[in-house]
Amino acid sequence: MPDEEDLTLLARCRAGDRAAFAVFVRRHQGAVLRLCRALTSSAADAEDAAQETFVQVWRALSSTDGDKRGDAPVKAWLLTIARHAAWRRHRRRVGEPTHTDGLEAVDAAPVAWGALGEAAGWGQDPEARAAAVEKKACVQQALQRLSESDREVIVMRDVLGLSGDEAARALGLSLAAEKSRLHRARLALMAHLGACREVQS
Amino acid sequence: MTPTMKGERHVGGLWCSEVLALLTRYLDGDLTDDELAMVKAHVGDCSACAQFGGAFHKAITALRDVDVDSDSSADDVDVSDRVLAAID
């Protein structure tokens, strides 16, 4: 989706054009809702978080301080707002702080890829994972079982198709940390796919 | 480096665990020419890595547009009316 079309729409929104804003919402609500569903694990919370996201966008566009997007791509900017809205909803429900912030140091630490690879099923019979990949329920279940930080990076990159740079910006990470986290998340997904009961039974 | 996975081999200048560490960069087209040549040489002669790499790629492809909520699709939801009502 070319950014220029979004920038044109946002310029019209900034001038108070509600019809343009409705178009912007419809263009992006699929991605915002998918991310919010993945982070809140609740369709109702996700819709509330999506509404909150777009209301915040409208207010930012109307603000005399500017929208604070800087040079970020529109989608990365929008999903940053959505990510925070979703975590706020989730925290309100589960009542505990999420552990997604301040992980930069962890991401920079050396990773024991061998141990992660074995857990992900390297060297084992690939049939179980091949069968699990074919089943939508197994893929959904594996996504839900990922840690919060693994889930958000994989949803941004592999479900929504953001570029590495866009996802890194939306997550507030360096590109190197984002790539490392994505690889760890993908290996963890493989481990969960291998444990899908629907295939084992 | 020393092997860290049971049964891993040293093929094409890389251990299996080293290939495993490069898989995401490989799929994202992010390897240097030298790294790419080594990974290809390894995978061409290592069935464990070839099989795992294939399954890994399939799993990532299967994620595209998956909805985490299994009961309904996010595509069927339209929040634009409630958003417009909220900004009044």
Side-chain angles (χ1 to χ4, degrees):
Chain A
M1 191 181 294
D3 229 33
E4 296 88 72
E5 288 177 41
D6 281 327
L7 295 176
T8 308
L9 279 173
L10 291 181
R12 286 171 56 194
C13 295
R14 227 171 265 124
D17 186 340
R18 295 163 58 94
F21 188 56
V23 173
F24 181 81
V25 171
R26 289 197 193 99
R27 266 168 90 100
H28 293 289
Q29 60 182 352
V32 168
L33 279 163
R34 275 201 174 80
L35 178 68
C36 292
R37 280 182 174 201
L39 304 189
T40 61
S41 303
S42 152
D45 279 352
E47 283 184 39
D48 289 344
Q51 176 182 331
E52 196 180 319
T53 300
F54 287 113
V55 169
Q56 269 194 48
V57 166
W58 178 258
R59 291 202 183 124
L61 293 168
S62 324
S63 162
T64 49
D65 296 341
D67 58 33
K68 307 218 166 57
R69 184 171 61 82
D71 62 350
V74 171
K75 204 164 188 179
W77 171 69
L78 177 64
L79 293 182
T80 306
I81 299 171
R83 170 181 177 245
H84 287 297
W87 285 138
R88 268 197 301 278
R89 291 270 151 197
H90 185 64
R91 268 201 293 271
R92 218 171 286 165
R93 187 176 291 275
V94 301
E96 61 187 39
T98 56
H99 57 271
T100 55
D101 292 324
L103 277 178
E104 190 91 12
V106 176
D107 287 320
V111 179
W113 295 116
L116 290 179
E118 283 185 333
W122 178 89
Q124 294 165 27
D125 177 11
E127 291 302 314
R129 276 165 189 79
V133 165
E134 303 292 329
K135 287 190 184 287
K136 203 175 157 199
C138 286
V139 177
Q140 286 168 330
Q141 205 178 82
L143 264 177
Q144 277 168 336
R145 289 186 175 165
L146 290 174
S147 72
E148 292 174 349
S149 57
D150 283 352
R151 207 180 327 140
E152 61 180 4
V153 71
I154 224 168
V155 168
M156 286 190 188
R157 289 293 306 277
D158 295 333
V159 178
L160 302 180
L162 263 66
S163 69
D165 182 55
E166 287 174 322
R169 279 172 179 267
L171 292 167
L173 292 171
S174 68
L175 189 56
E178 183 267 344
K179 282 179 183 175
S180 174
R181 193 185 289 186
L182 175 66
H183 190 44
R184 209 175 49 196
R186 285 171 168 178
L187 288 174
L189 184 90
M190 291 295 285
H192 291 304
L193 278 172
C196 185
R197 282 206 194 116
E198 278 204 34
V199 171
Q200 289 172 342
S201 58
Chain B
M1 85 153 252
T2 49
T4 55
M5 294 192 297
K6 197 178 165 193
E8 74 171 307
R9 295 163 59 214
H10 192 259
V11 181
L14 292 172
W15 287 98
C16 296
S17 50
E18 292 178 297
V19 171
L20 205 110
L22 294 173
L23 268 185
T24 278
R25 287 183 50 215
Y26 172 69
L27 292 179
D28 291 351
D30 227 8
L31 295 181
T32 65
D33 290 347
D34 286 350
E35 286 172 330
L36 183 63
M38 284 163 89
V39 168
K40 279 189 170 169
H42 181 103
V43 172
D45 202 26
C46 174
S47 60
C49 283
Q51 282 180 340
F52 184 80
F56 188 78
H57 186 211
K58 252 189 162 176
I60 293 165
T61 310
L63 286 170
R64 193 71 211 227
D65 291 328
V66 152
D67 235 308
V68 176
D69 188 316
S70 52
D71 298 332
S72 62
S73 165
D75 293 330
D76 297 334
V77 180
D78 187 351
V79 295
S80 58
D81 285 344
R82 51 185 285 196
V83 168
L84 290 177
I87 61 171
D88 271 333

